[in-house]
Amino acid sequence: MKLTGAEIVVQFLKDEGVECVFGYPGGAVLHIYDAFYAQEEIEHILVRHEQGAVHAADGYARATGKPGTALVTSGPGMTNAVTGIATAYMDSIPMVVISGQVSSALIGNDAFQEVDAVGISRPCVKHNFLVKDVADLASTLKKAYYLAASGRPGPVLVDIPKDVTANKTEYYYQETVKIRSYNPAEKGHSGQIKKGVELLLGARKPMIYSGGGVVLGKASEQLTAVTRLLGFPITSTLMGLGAFPGSDPQFVGMLGMHGTMEANMGMHDCDVLLAVGARFDDRVTGELSKFCPHARIIHIDIDPSSISKNVRVEIPIVGHVKPVLDEMIRMLEARKDALDPTKTREWWAQINRWRDHRCLQYATSSEVIKPQAVVEALWRATRGEAFVTSDVGQHQMWAAQYYRFDQPNRWINSGGLGTMGFGLPAALGVKRAFPDSEVVCVTGEASIQMCIQELSTAKQYDLPVKVVCLNNRYLGMVRQWQEFSYKSRYSHSYMEALPDFIKLAESYGHVGMQITQPGDVDAALEEAFAMKDRLVFMDFITDATENVYPMIEAGKGHAEMRYSPAQEMA
Amino acid sequence: MRHTIAILLENEAGALSRVAGLFSARGYNIESLTVAPTDEVSVSRLTLVTTGNDEIVEQITKQLNKLVDVIKLVELDSTEDIERELLLARVKAGSAGQRSEVKRLVDIFRGRILDVYEGGYIVELTGRGSKIDAFLEALETAQIGEVVRSGVTGIARGPKGLRI
């Protein structure tokens, strides 16, 4: 049967198993929207801004591990989506963004709402397509989903001119697709894995450093098994939190700029480093010349370009993290005789001495709410089981440090691009995927205002997430850097004229709460979480002067952390 | 260090801009870039000359390989393998002495005169870039009316080629 391009889009999405699309209509996608009108299988969630659509699709993808889907119109619809696309690109999130384009005959004529979508998105997508012929539409969409989810995942944009959505062709769904120029790595090289295993078995001061690739590669179980077999300390990047249980004694906390003493000192002193699905980002390594000066490094990554990009490694293993770790487990089990915990006994004693400093301890207060205490209370209130999304800044770091994630895919934040405004729409995407789970957006009063319009989407589609706003009246991380590096010259980092968040939440049809007293934090959270079917906006008025510690400042290495004043005195 | 990379690329709209965009986005240098379709119409062949230390060039080749439109690539050995560049030049030669001097130079460099006009020649020359540089240096600056260089193309020696 012949279908129009618009009908093909919708039918393809059904055949591909897409259950929901986050989008916003406009002229160039009206045919597609008309095709959506006639069906009920795929839910369309109408956001309030295209950035929200892409972040919501992103949150959905991060929580489920399946590609998210966003649909936007041409011109401003597409440019509004760019921040979301770049966010997904930096964190390698599988996603397909379908954008409308002006009719083929108008392309290049500066038509109304025309923008070179393929050109604009090119540096921040894994790949993109302009569909010029309806006969290519279905196969292009199939390629888009295949590319988005395979290999190192990433966002793929499919730009469809309006006339292509009106033209008709025979439709059939291809189960598989092959792209001759695209062959992502699968299994790792056994010889390299063997070399890695031998190096690990001889280590006296080993560290495991795991990243977002473990979460994306659904290899949490394998990582946990390898870590348990080896008995080594393990640290994680911001993106990898939860891949190994955060409350396990082998876990030494997050590393990097705001990592723990035991993680960062462990990195500095280790003799063998096993990097798994991590990319040696600058926020992780600190000053490169001071990074892991004594370590021989093994690096498992699916993307060859991640290997030796920032740090030279001795044993690269290119492959999908899951089969690589599976093979490593088999090899380790065959070498059980060589697994000798006494080799690392001294190292663990050293790690525990660092741990005893309790570097995340902070000065508590009965006068003013400490933001860290709110995150700890949130962990208690949700038994550590919630999906937590965040925006970007101090609150993000506190959430990462104090909410101990025991499961993968639960911690959802913009790590690479650092996109303020991500948290709320991402939370809506997560809630859509897991309606029966607790979904919390930990945010700040600045970040939340960047996509606050999505409170309206939450109401329309009944997505009752909880918003935990750590309101310190400052762009907190900017203020912190200004305090440390600019002699406390707080240039344009103070927000006057904040909205009344209670009224704001209420005006969108939600529940608003303001909490000002430290003694009220637990009760407020309990009350909020008891309202299962309501979005509750909790505005915690927190200590405006609190900083995120420990911190590695610019140009410093892992062994040169700055600790909280309370710590320095201890 | 100068490196020459030969690339087989899907002959699709926008593919070239992905290669060029990669270089500008990541701050790599492009000294020259040539591209044309091959005997297989769906495939283009690029020859790209870049500069950088071994680590940078390793990153460049990895990043190029990551582009979905890149089918295959190989780094040519700039001393062993064959590189050629085409020069078309307008060379001014007014006097009889100058004309015979230019004619002689063209012969020495095994070039060809494609056009003769009053006051000069259009000259064609192929060879390694260094040969073309040498020819241009042999002319007096004032004689050079116009220089068109194709950029480098290259092929590996021996039986092993870059094919899909």
Side-chain angles (χ1 to χ4, degrees):
Chain A
M1 200 180 86
K2 286 197 169 189
L3 298 181
T4 66
E7 288 163 345
I8 288 172
V9 170
V10 174
Q11 189 55 47
F12 171 85
L13 294 176
K14 286 181 195 171
D15 292 342
E16 185 66 19
V18 173
E19 52 163 2
C20 76
V21 171
F22 301 89
Y24 204 103
V29 284
L30 281 173
H31 293 318
I32 299 176
Y33 271 86
D34 193 56
F36 268 107
Y37 190 74
Q39 61 83 46
E40 281 175 353
E41 276 171 66
I42 303 174
E43 186 181 11
H44 177 278
I45 291 181
L46 173 67
V47 295
R48 301 300 119 108
H49 185 291
E50 288 87 351
Q51 184 183 348
V54 183
H55 288 332
D58 185 324
Y60 175 91
R62 290 182 202 234
T64 61
K66 294 189 286 188
T69 305
L71 172 60
V72 300
T73 193
S74 66
M78 186 274 158
T79 55
N80 279 346
V82 169
T83 300
I85 296 170
T87 303
Y89 181 67
M90 288 294 274
D91 291 341
S92 306
I93 303 306
M95 174 194 289
V96 173
V97 177
I98 298 169
S99 56
Q101 181 55 277
V102 301
S103 283
S104 306
L106 292 173
I107 290 178
N109 285 6
D110 301 321
F112 176 66
Q113 292 194 329
E114 180 187 357
V115 77
D116 174 10
V118 164
I120 284 183
S121 61
R122 198 196 62 231
C124 59
V125 291
K126 180 169 174 184
H127 198 61
N128 57 20
F129 298 94
L130 170 63
V131 183
K132 288 179 173 161
D133 185 340
V134 70
D136 300 330
L137 180 57
S139 63
T140 304
L141 286 167
K142 184 69 203 178
K143 283 181 191 167
Y145 278 87
Y146 168 56
L147 286 168
S150 60
R152 179 177 181 172
V156 177
L157 177 105
V158 182
D159 198 36
I160 313 176
K162 189 168 185 181
D163 56 313
V164 172
T165 64
N167 294 343
K168 286 189 164 185
T169 192
E170 286 293 335
Y171 168 78
Y172 73 100
Y173 176 73
Q174 278 173 267
E175 289 290 342
T176 56
V177 69
K178 211 174 149 30
I179 301 172
R180 66 175 169 186
S181 56
Y182 176 76
N183 302 292
E186 263 302 316
K187 270 173 59 74
H189 187 281
S190 297
Q192 290 291 94
I193 300 172
K194 181 115 191 56
K195 270 200 239 168
V197 165
E198 290 306 318
L199 187 57
L200 288 167
L201 288 173
R204 303 223 151 239
K205 299 174 168 188
M207 276 295 275
I208 301 172
Y209 145 54
S210 87
V214 179
V215 180
L216 294 165
K218 305 181 177 85
S220 174
E221 203 182 295
Q222 284 77 2
L223 176 75
T224 307
V226 164
T227 308
R228 295 253 162 83
L229 272 169
L230 288 166
F232 293 172
I234 178 170
T235 179
S236 169
T237 67
L238 180 69
M239 299 310 297
L241 293 175
F244 185 84
S247 51
D248 190 288
Q250 272 179 267
F251 186 66
V252 295
M254 183 170 75
L255 83 165
M257 182 172 272
H258 295 294
T260 64
M261 181 182 197
E262 48 274 34
N264 285 340
M265 292 304 292
M267 290 292 285
H268 183 267
D269 283 11
C270 71
D271 65 353
V272 174
L273 180 68
L274 173 63
V276 191
R279 62 185 177 91
F280 298 84
D281 169 77
D282 57 278
R283 286 295 194 266
V284 157
T285 61
E287 172 60 36
L288 274 176
S289 61
K290 298 172 185 170
F291 177 76
C292 289
H294 317 290
R296 299 174 68 183
I297 302 175
I298 306 155
H299 186 191
I300 304 170
D301 207 293
I302 197 162
D303 179 1
S305 76
S306 282
I307 287 173
S308 294
K309 180 170 71 179
N310 301 330
V311 173
R312 288 305 291 181
V313 303
E314 183 175 328
I315 305 179
I317 302 169
V318 176
H320 192 292
V321 62
K322 198 169 182 170
V324 170
L325 289 178
D326 272 330
E327 196 167 348
M328 205 171 242
I329 292 166
R330 283 195 296 275
M331 288 182 187
L332 283 170
E333 277 171 347
R335 295 283 329 258
K336 270 214 162 115
D337 54 308
L339 285 167
D340 176 9
T342 59
K343 269 191 199 153
T344 54
R345 194 169 288 157
E346 260 183 59
W347 178 234
W348 269 112
Q350 174 62 64
I351 301 252
N352 287 328
R353 282 195 292 280
W354 287 321
R355 195 177 251 165
D356 288 343
H357 281 86
R358 301 179 64 195
C359 67
L360 292 179
Q361 218 176 15
Y362 54 92
T364 53
S365 165
S366 55
E367 310 279 301
V368 57
I369 297 176
K370 289 287 181 178
Q372 302 96 321
V374 177
V375 177
E376 289 182 323
L378 175 65
W379 186 86
R380 288 193 296 273
T382 56
R383 302 157 307 281
E385 290 169 359
F387 287 92
V388 178
T389 73
S390 91
D391 278 300
V392 170
Q394 287 183 319
H395 67 267
Q396 177 190 26
M397 291 300 115
W398 285 317
Q401 289 173 326
Y402 295 91
Y403 198 98
R404 295 190 302 282
F405 293 92
D406 282 336
Q407 296 170 73
N409 306 91
R410 296 286 162 130
W411 166 235
I412 285 156
N413 80 129
S414 166
L417 196 68
T419 308
M420 291 170 72
F422 174 80
L424 177 60
L428 302 186
V430 178
K431 190 70 182 173
R432 171 60 187 73
F434 296 100
D436 299 327
S437 300
E438 292 293 3
V439 180
V440 188
C441 169
V442 175
T443 184
E445 81 291 346
S447 280
I448 191 69
Q449 292 190 76
M450 285 213 183
C451 272
I452 195 138
Q453 73 285 346
E454 302 307 331
L455 285 173
S456 179
T457 310
K459 184 69 190 170
Q460 182 170 347
Y461 295 93
D462 190 21
L463 299 167
V465 302
K466 302 290 182 278
V467 177
V468 170
C469 180
L470 303 177
N471 183 346
N472 61 1
R473 285 78 68 207
Y474 277 101
L475 313 184
M477 193 57 94
V478 172
R479 190 206 56 74
Q480 176 170 341
W481 283 50
Q482 287 171 337
E483 179 186 330
F484 290 178
S485 306
Y486 297 89
K487 301 187 177 113
S488 298
R489 289 155 56 88
Y490 296 137
S491 180
H492 305 280
S493 54
Y494 183 73
M495 273 207 181
E496 276 176 274
L498 283 170
D500 177 336
F501 285 112
I502 297 178
K503 284 188 188 156
L504 184 79
E506 286 171 355
S507 78
Y508 278 112
H510 303 305
V511 179
M513 289 164 73
Q514 190 181 64
I515 305 95
T516 57
Q517 296 306 310
D520 297 340
V521 170
D522 281 294
L525 285 164
E526 205 171 301
E527 189 189 340
F529 282 104
M531 290 184 255
K532 291 263 174 239
D533 54 350
R534 300 300 300 274
L535 185 151
V536 183
F537 192 116
M538 288 164 270
D539 185 23
F540 290 92
I541 306 302
T542 60
D543 186 346
T545 62
E546 191 58 82
N547 290 323
V548 181
Y549 295 106
M551 179 173 180
I552 301 173
E553 290 172 83
K556 298 281 172 76
H558 280 155
E560 300 168 299
M561 275 167 288
R562 177 169 178 158
Y563 299 100
S564 72
Q567 278 287 314
E568 300 284 7
M569 278 184 289
Chain B
M1 261 294 278
R2 182 175 171 280
H3 295 261
T4 308
I5 303 168
I7 305 166
L8 294 180
L9 187 71
E10 292 290 351
N11 186 8
E12 280 186 17
L16 181 60
S17 72
R18 293 182 206 277
V19 174
L22 171 70
F23 277 73
S24 61
R26 293 192 181 265
Y28 306 141
N29 301 310
I30 299 184
E31 208 167 87
S32 82
L33 176 70
T34 63
V35 57
T38 61
D39 55 324
E40 162 67 52
V41 286
S42 66
V43 178
S44 294
R45 171 134 177 170
L46 263 84
T47 309
L48 196 149
V49 180
T50 183
T51 51
N53 60 33
D54 290 350
E55 270 112 61
I56 289 172
V57 174
E58 183 187 328
Q59 256 307 302
I60 289 175
T61 56
K62 284 174 173 177
Q63 293 290 350
L64 283 167
N65 264 318
K66 206 166 134 180
L67 293 177
V68 172
D69 284 337
V70 168
I71 303 165
K72 256 185 191 174
L73 62 83
V74 66
E75 192 181 339
L76 297 177
D77 183 322
S78 54
T79 53
E80 283 292 309
D81 291 327
I82 298 161
E83 280 186 23
R84 286 292 177 271
E85 200 175 345
L86 169 70
L87 168 78
L88 296 173
R90 189 182 313 280
V91 182
K92 292 181 211 163
S95 69
Q98 276 181 324
R99 291 177 85 87
S100 59
E101 176 61 18
V102 170
K103 175 78 176 65
R104 206 168 59 82
L105 265 180
V106 170
D107 287 342
I108 290 170
F109 281 88
R110 276 176 272 170
R112 292 202 303 156
I113 289 170
L114 299 182
D115 187 32
V116 181
Y117 63 91
E118 201 179 329
Y121 298 122
I122 304 292
V123 173
E124 173 194 49
L125 190 66
T126 59
R128 299 186 76 87
S130 52
K131 176 181 164 185
I132 288 166
D133 293 343
F135 173 75
L136 292 170
E137 272 166 38
L139 296 168
E140 287 168 34
T141 314
Q143 286 186 289
I144 301 173
E146 187 176 351
V147 170
V148 184
R149 296 176 73 145
S150 65
V152 173
T153 59
I155 192 165
R157 283 187 191 275
K160 240 186 122 199
L162 180 65
R163 300 276 300 178
I164 54 166

